[in-house]
Amino acid sequence: MSSDLTQPLNAPLTLPCGLILKNRLVKAAMTEGLAGPDGLPNEQLLRLYRTWAQSGVAVLITGNVMVDGTHLERPGNVILDQELNPSGLAAFTAWAAAGSAHDCQMWMQISHPGRQTQKRANPAPRSASDVGLNLPGGRFARPVPLHPDEIRLLIERYAAAARQAKGCGFSGVQIHAAHGYLISQFLSPQSNRRTDEWGGSLDKRARFLRSIVAAVRAQTGSDFAVSVKLNSSDFQQGGFGADDARQVVRWLEADGVDLIELSGGTYEQPRMLEFDGIDPREDIRLRASTRAREAFFQGFAAELKEEVSVPLMVTGGFRSATGMAEAIAVDGISAIGIGRPLCGDPVCTQKLLRDGEDLPRFERILGNPGGFFGTNSPVKLIKMMASFSVMAWYYDQLVLLGNGQKNDPHPYPFKRLLALERREVQWIKARKTWLARFS
Ligand SMILES: Cc1cc2nc3c(=O)[nH]c(=O)nc-3n(C[C@H](O)[C@H](O)[C@H](O)COP(=O)(O)O)c2cc1C
């Protein structure tokens, strides 16, 4: 295989904080749903990350870890709350060690879901404003706006989580500001209708994110990697768009962020997985600039690279060695994020790095369900449930890997969806029992 392909992928990358990544591949954050009712890393999570550490990638970014145990994104989330005792911290230390084998680095993605959490996981979500998700089925509760004092406390929670992550052996954190979660809700004028210092103009909507970045840096020091995952667009009318993203990237560069991962979309518009949204509305310009390339947000990143020097990572759709090598060598993108291929084959990147072999396209096996009964259905509820059932396949693969079992390529979408529902309901019961011990 030509070294023109493998060379760019294997080139080390030095981040502004001085940390060196051994190559350009990063496992993107993927919520695992494997923690027990205490929200701590357990044997399943350790096994999964030990396996991924053998994949050859430079960094494993964990699935979104919750900074507030009363606000979960989904059952089975890992929780790094401020008040963890030493035995809780030991579980995180073991997790960091599991993913740091073979010269791989472990970064923790820290997050708060805001309004993007199903009622059964959180019937009382909080957000920037009281704007509910526009999704059918009544699964999501309308959020209550955060009080300014609560916003300040939340900033401290993100910073405390980052400090504890560093103490436990993680070499970096990623602040999740994408995909419609809380920070993304603050960034979007569609979900942030505040008139105080946290809403209104872009600089006010970005204040929450930038305050978190500053607090995290202050708590972790200059030799620790601080990354941000940001939407290149929400792809929603009146939402956070490409011009907003461009400005926020400039600010984050000035704020000393080490790596910005570009993604896009929200639950209402899941473009990060190339699903159609409930009400298909596109950022036409962004789409046109990306169509010619393999990855969804690559065109936007290539344009931005002309203006900023902060390392950019692009995640979403990368599968071919040629596409990835070109993104690095031609577009100047610093790192490539890989998600779904590493669920279905946890070490598929070994052959990519060694021989330039393309990554598996599991989305094709699943058929990215189209048609009336799939993610393209004109019936909104069917469309949403079809997207959930595709996700259930990926979640199932992580459960299998966590249990030390082989991947199961069969789609069985509805069977998997039912199994996921059962698992999550059981987890919620177990969590309630666990919490009752402390009340
Ligand atoms: C099972 C699964 C869980 C995910 N969880 C997260 C998450 O916790 N945080 C996040 O930023 N993105 C999450 N994502 C999105 C991925 O990080 C990535 O952006 C997306 O899968 C597109 O990349 P790909 O085409 O390589 O899969 C998740 C994706 C999948 C498939």
Side-chain angles (χ1 to χ4, degrees):
M1 180 55 61
S2 151
S3 65
D4 291 353
L5 288 187
T6 52
Q7 228 166 31
L9 297 175
N10 282 286
L13 173 71
T14 305
L15 298 178
C17 66
L19 213 67
I20 299 172
L21 311 192
K22 66 178 175 181
N23 60 48
R24 303 306 180 98
L25 295 189
V26 174
K27 181 204 83 72
M30 287 186 283
T31 178
E32 305 90 0
L34 294 179
D38 57 4
L40 296 177
N42 54 14
E43 195 43 48
Q44 280 180 301
L45 277 158
L46 263 52
R47 196 177 287 120
L48 175 62
Y49 279 79
R50 255 185 239 121
T51 307
W52 270 335
Q54 294 166 34
S55 68
V57 305
V59 183
L60 302 178
I61 303 182
T62 68
N64 53 183
V65 170
M66 299 298 111
V67 299
D68 184 339
T70 50
H71 290 274
L72 303 185
E73 169 250 349
R74 64 179 281 232
N77 277 147
V78 177
I79 305 163
L80 182 45
D81 225 323
Q82 276 165 323
E83 299 92 21
L84 259 193
N85 58 28
S87 74
L89 287 175
F92 281 91
T93 304
W95 194 25
S100 303
H102 311 287
D103 204 16
C104 186
Q105 298 192 29
M106 268 289 263
W107 292 5
M108 182 187 289
Q109 185 181 66
I110 49 180
S111 187
H112 184 300
R115 66 179 184 163
Q116 266 190 180
T117 173
Q118 295 199 37
K119 265 183 199 164
R120 63 179 186 213
N122 185 357
R126 313 300 298 275
S127 182
S129 302
D130 64 347
V131 182
L133 276 176
N134 179 22
L135 287 174
R139 286 181 159 239
F140 297 86
R142 196 182 177 91
V144 171
L146 286 157
H147 186 275
D149 291 344
E150 293 175 311
I151 294 177
R152 286 188 196 97
L153 286 174
L154 267 181
I155 294 167
E156 283 172 28
R157 277 185 179 273
Y158 279 92
R163 175 176 43 77
Q164 302 199 91
K166 183 178 180 185
C168 291
F170 289 82
S171 58
V173 288
Q174 180 176 73
I175 298 162
H176 194 357
H179 300 173
Y181 293 108
L182 184 63
I183 302 177
S184 174
Q185 288 157 36
F186 269 86
L187 287 170
S188 163
Q190 189 266 344
S191 46
N192 182 349
R193 310 268 171 89
R194 301 178 76 97
T195 52
D196 61 5
E197 61 181 312
W198 304 100
S201 58
L202 180 61
D203 69 321
K204 289 184 177 169
R205 281 181 276 122
R207 178 167 290 155
F208 184 49
L209 168 60
R210 298 185 72 193
S211 304
I212 292 169
V213 169
V216 163
R217 180 62 85 196
Q219 289 278 332
T220 54
S222 57
D223 58 348
F224 185 73
V226 177
S227 164
V228 170
K229 186 162 185 170
L230 186 73
N231 273 357
S232 42
S233 171
D234 292 351
F235 299 94
Q236 283 179 295
Q237 219 155 43
F240 180 81
D243 290 334
D244 296 332
R246 194 179 293 273
Q247 178 57 57
V248 172
V249 165
R250 284 197 209 104
W251 283 331
L252 292 175
E253 173 172 54
D255 294 342
V257 162
D258 289 293
L259 181 74
I260 299 174
E261 177 181 352
L262 292 166
S263 186
T266 64
Y267 275 24
E268 290 164 313
Q269 198 67 12
R271 298 303 304 170
M272 69 297 253
L273 297 163
E274 229 189 355
F275 294 159
D276 274 345
I278 289 299
D279 290 311
R281 289 191 189 116
E282 290 295 339
D283 192 327
I284 301 294
R285 195 172 57 81
L286 196 59
R287 193 159 202 200
S289 80
T290 297
R291 198 178 288 135
R293 293 174 164 88
E294 174 168 279
F296 318 146
F297 314 109
Q298 191 181 344
F300 178 66
E303 279 173 35
L304 259 181
K305 206 55 224 164
E306 306 277 311
E307 301 167 30
V308 294
S309 60
V310 57
L312 298 178
M313 164 169 154
V314 177
T315 302
F318 276 117
R319 302 291 180 266
S320 78
T322 317
M324 292 182 240
E326 276 178 15
I328 295 166
V330 181
D331 287 338
I333 290 163
S334 298
I336 305 287
I338 308 292
R340 288 165 288 178
L342 285 165
C343 290
D345 176 353
V347 294
C348 59
T349 37
Q350 284 176 356
K351 288 188 213 136
L352 167 68
L353 287 162
R354 195 183 55 226
D355 308 324
E357 196 171 304
D358 291 350
L359 296 177
R361 297 168 196 264
F362 297 109
E363 55 278 9
R364 290 205 183 147
I365 304 175
L366 295 169
N368 243 355
F372 189 82
F373 290 107
T375 51
N376 295 334
S377 172
V379 181
K380 290 179 181 181
L381 191 61
I382 294 179
K383 186 183 239 184
M384 185 178 79
M385 296 314 286
S387 306
F388 284 173
S389 68
V390 171
M391 287 305 282
W393 186 87
Y394 292 103
Y395 290 157
D396 260 7
Q397 307 307 312
L398 300 185
V399 172
L400 290 169
L401 294 171
N403 289 338
Q405 293 165 291
K406 279 211 162 74
N407 287 110
D408 174 5
H410 298 99
Y412 304 135
F414 293 106
K415 190 176 132 198
R416 292 188 193 278
L417 187 59
L418 288 178
L420 175 67
E421 293 279 310
R422 256 198 314 273
R423 244 186 353 254
E424 298 208 337
V425 169
Q426 270 168 8
W427 190 93
I428 288 164
K429 269 198 205 142
R431 172 89 178 152
K432 278 191 186 137
T433 310
W434 186 81
L435 286 172
R437 290 173 31 201
F438 303 96
S439 59

